[in-house]
Amino acid sequence: MSKNVIVIGGGIIGLSTAYFLQKNGHQVTVLDKSNMDSGASYVNAGYITPSHIVPLASPGMISKGIKYMFNSSSPFYMKPRLDLDFMKWAWYFKKSSTKEKVERAMPVIMDINLLSRELYEEIHNSGELGDFHLDRKGLLMMYQTNKERDHENEVAERAKDMGLQVNHLDLDGLRLVEPDVELNAKGAFHYECDRHTTPDQIMERLAGYLAKNGVKIHKNEQVVDLKATSGKVSEIITNKGSYTADDIVFAAGSWTTTLSKKLGVHLPLQAGKGYRINVSTPTKINMPAILMEAKMAVTPMQGFTRFAGTMEFSGINNIIRKERVEALARGASKYYKGLHIPEEDKQNAQCGLRPVSPDGLPYIGTTDKYKNLVFATGHAMMGWSLGPATGKLVSELVSGNKLSLDISPFAPDRKF
């Protein structure tokens, strides 16, 4: 049965949801408060990462956050502030950061990542968005110290046990896959299971495809209120008008919790700010890599090299801290000898807000409170990777079809 569905949010999660809803024959409208040309979906590292099996909420992360709390250039920065929602979230995060909970989360994270990788491949092979950039080189976890090598080796062995393709490269092996730059590293773990893309390109083409295929996209339209009747969301009020729909999808990233509060639903969620620098001059970098000690990502994209990373919890804002941009540039130069990041590129750095749940798992599914409301948010650093899988699962849920995965671990009403 065809439904009228409104998707609030035009990032990769929202557009992927609209894509699969449209495929299932639904009438779809996307509402986004921005011009849909900036934010987390445009500044991420572009990774599709089955290798990222360990959730952000893992043992030791709160201790790191406290350690870095007064260093605004640190990779994991929690700005001290008296905010009840943040304090509740931090408490839930601490409760989730146990070995037992991480062990349960790992196969769940891997399975949804593998589904999403398959869907990216299918979309690419369909030609619907044209021949967009989808590279199958894998991902390097590059290290300079034995400490990081030993830490990643544990993850790599666990990944192998779970069926993922990963190899250890010494410095000679690393030079074979990255021959054109001089590296300051001891080695790397090569996760052959991963992919990388150019996000801006895909976002533009996906939005264009949807518009051509009957999806209505309303930019610069902000939801200001919602009304509910008899256990259903009955009206969406924006700064430009009002809407009714059979089903509503909250895919508004870090702003989703603001929307849910209007309906009396408390969704533990915090904005984790990430930064990126695009360098258009040739860097000769061939492989995407996580620079482990620097806690940052490097991605060769179409037309430029992207340096991205950091996790900053400072509330919902788009303030760019210059010290964090400089930390990215310094971190990269410690691994790639002779790398020069032009001052202009640093001045043009952008940021995006990633929606972070307390346990490292996204919110995908319905809430007991409203029959026609579906959540699709909370993906943290894996939003880009999990876009298609989330969209497909939401579409299956709205359509009443068999689900591709068990979504109970992603329940919005779950307890922490």
Side-chain angles (χ1 to χ4, degrees):
M1 181 181 74
S2 177
K3 290 183 175 181
N4 174 21
V5 186
I6 289 181
V7 178
I8 303 175
I12 186 61
I13 304 296
L15 293 190
S16 295
T17 298
Y19 175 85
F20 285 101
L21 284 168
Q22 180 266 333
K23 289 283 185 187
N24 274 341
H26 302 293
Q27 303 302 309
V28 187
T29 300
V30 176
L31 304 176
D32 194 279
K33 67 184 186 63
S34 76
N35 199 44
M36 291 175 57
D37 57 5
S38 63
S41 294
Y42 296 84
V43 306
N44 63 83
Y47 295 160
I48 303 164
T49 51
S51 67
H52 282 31
I53 55 176
V54 180
L56 183 65
S58 56
M61 285 304 294
I62 283 290
S63 298
K64 289 180 182 178
I66 293 171
K67 174 185 174 184
Y68 292 143
M69 191 170 279
F70 299 101
N71 179 5
S72 62
S73 64
S74 63
F76 185 69
Y77 174 55
M78 290 185 174
K79 182 181 179 182
R81 63 190 193 275
L82 289 173
D83 180 285
L84 185 58
D85 285 343
F86 176 68
M87 289 188 284
K88 282 183 178 179
W89 177 90
W91 172 242
Y92 295 149
F93 187 98
K94 184 178 186 300
K95 287 175 66 179
S96 300
S97 300
T98 67
K99 287 184 179 179
E100 295 77 16
K101 290 183 178 180
V102 168
E103 192 66 28
R104 287 200 300 269
M106 286 197 293
V108 173
I109 293 172
M110 184 188 73
D111 286 347
I112 190 171
N113 265 291
L114 287 173
L115 172 62
S116 218
R117 186 187 70 180
E118 179 184 332
L119 294 170
Y120 267 113
E121 298 275 9
E122 287 180 7
I123 295 169
H124 182 265
N125 293 339
S126 74
E128 290 175 334
L129 307 188
D131 186 23
F132 63 80
H133 177 216
L134 177 64
D135 210 313
R136 299 169 177 84
K137 293 176 181 175
L139 175 68
L140 298 177
M141 297 293 288
M142 199 186 307
Y143 61 85
Q144 295 177 322
T145 62
N146 292 343
K147 179 182 177 182
E148 289 296 336
R149 177 200 64 195
D150 294 345
H151 170 74
E152 189 59 31
N153 186 60
E154 292 182 14
V155 178
E157 289 302 316
R158 187 73 176 88
K160 285 185 201 175
D161 291 342
M162 295 168 70
L164 298 177
Q165 306 84 29
V166 53
N167 295 304
H168 181 240
L169 304 177
D170 60 14
L171 185 54
D172 288 337
L174 191 52
R175 285 170 177 154
L176 287 175
V177 298
E178 194 64 285
D180 299 323
V181 290
E182 189 176 356
L183 295 169
N184 180 24
K186 286 190 171 184
F189 291 86
H190 184 198
Y191 288 87
E192 297 180 17
C193 51
D194 288 9
R195 308 284 186 264
H196 74 276
T197 60
T198 302
D200 312 56
Q201 178 194 71
I202 293 176
M203 289 298 292
E204 181 182 353
R205 295 188 184 189
L206 184 53
Y209 169 84
L210 293 173
K212 287 179 183 176
N213 285 273
V215 174
K216 298 175 183 176
I217 298 177
H218 296 253
K219 301 178 182 180
N220 302 305
E221 186 158 357
Q222 183 171 357
V223 176
V224 295
D225 204 2
L226 298 120
K227 293 183 179 179
T229 309
S230 304
K232 296 183 77 173
V233 179
S234 55
E235 186 179 5
I236 299 165
I237 301 165
T238 74
N239 59 336
K240 295 183 179 180
S242 67
Y243 301 83
T244 59
D246 298 309
D247 287 280
I248 295 96
V249 181
F250 279 1
S254 298
W255 289 266
T256 305
T257 189
T258 304
L259 296 174
S260 66
K261 278 183 179 179
K262 296 178 185 296
L263 294 169
V265 177
H266 178 68
L267 194 74
L269 196 69
Q270 287 293 312
K273 189 188 297 180
Y275 293 75
R276 73 96 175 115
I277 304 170
N278 286 348
V279 176
S280 54
T281 52
T283 63
K284 298 184 179 179
I285 294 171
N286 176 61
M287 292 288 291
I290 301 286
L291 311 182
M292 295 191 63
E293 288 80 6
K295 305 289 188 291
M296 60 175 290
V298 180
T299 314
M301 296 185 179
Q302 287 201 335
F304 55 91
T305 304
R306 176 165 291 178
F307 300 88
T310 84
M311 181 64 83
E312 174 188 329
F313 292 102
S314 60
I316 292 184
N317 65 76
N318 289 306
I319 298 169
I320 293 180
R321 296 176 180 271
K322 292 182 179 179
E323 65 270 27
R324 299 185 73 74
V325 175
E326 289 293 340
L328 278 180
R330 282 197 309 272
S333 66
K334 288 178 181 177
Y335 289 77
Y336 302 95
K337 295 179 182 178
L339 174 68
H340 173 65
I341 297 181
E343 196 63 34
E344 182 181 359
D345 292 336
K346 288 190 282 187
Q347 291 175 0
N348 290 330
Q350 291 186 9
C351 67
L353 300 177
R354 298 164 292 196
V356 185
S357 71
D359 61 359
L361 297 178
Y363 297 111
I364 305 172
T366 56
T367 173
D368 291 339
K369 212 164 185 179
Y370 300 100
K371 300 172 186 175
N372 65 335
L373 176 62
V374 184
F375 285 87
T377 189
H379 298 75
M381 297 172 292
M382 290 184 287
W384 185 259
S385 185
L386 300 182
T390 302
K392 184 172 179 64
L393 290 166
V394 170
S395 180
E396 289 169 345
L397 197 61
V398 169
S399 304
N401 297 340
K402 181 182 178 182
L403 293 170
S404 298
L405 289 176
D406 173 18
I407 63 171
S408 59
F410 310 130
D413 292 334
R414 65 184 182 268
K415 303 300 181 184
F416 297 100

